């Protein structure tokens, strides 16, 4: 997480520690749902989880950032 922004692989505006915390929380939620809901199948959710994470981490083209107020 700390080197990916410099390489242009993820949004450089993301805080590495906060981003890692959110990724862990999302994965933990999937695992918790699997443990508590018999009909929940984590493997079925992988495409959605991948989409969420890809869009969250996606580096934006230079100049496309909105003001964060």
């Amino acid at each position: 997480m700390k080197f990916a922004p410099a390489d242009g692989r993820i949004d450089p505006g993301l805080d590495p520690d906060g981003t890692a915390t959110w990724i862990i929380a999302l994965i933990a939620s999937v695992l918790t749902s699997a443990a508590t809901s018999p009909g929940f199948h984590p493997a079925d959710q992988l495409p959605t989880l991948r989409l969420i994470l890809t869009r969250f981490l996606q580096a934006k083209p230079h100049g496309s950032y909105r003001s964060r107020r």
Side-chain angles (χ1 to χ4, degrees):
M1 292 299 314
K2 293 185 181 192
F3 301 110
D7 294 343
R9 293 182 285 164
I10 67 170
D11 182 346
L14 294 173
D15 170 61
D17 293 328
T19 300
T21 298
W22 272 105
I23 292 171
I24 291 167
L26 286 169
I27 294 168
S29 178
V30 169
L31 297 175
T32 299
S33 294
T36 59
S37 300
F40 185 86
H41 303 288
D44 295 342
Q45 304 307 314
L46 289 178
T48 301
L49 180 61
R50 183 174 287 124
L51 177 65
I52 290 168
L53 291 174
T54 300
R55 288 187 180 171
F56 173 59
L57 296 171
Q58 187 173 37
K60 308 284 187 235
H62 182 69
S64 67
Y65 293 97
R66 292 186 206 163
S67 175
R68 296 183 186 195
R69 291 186 220 180

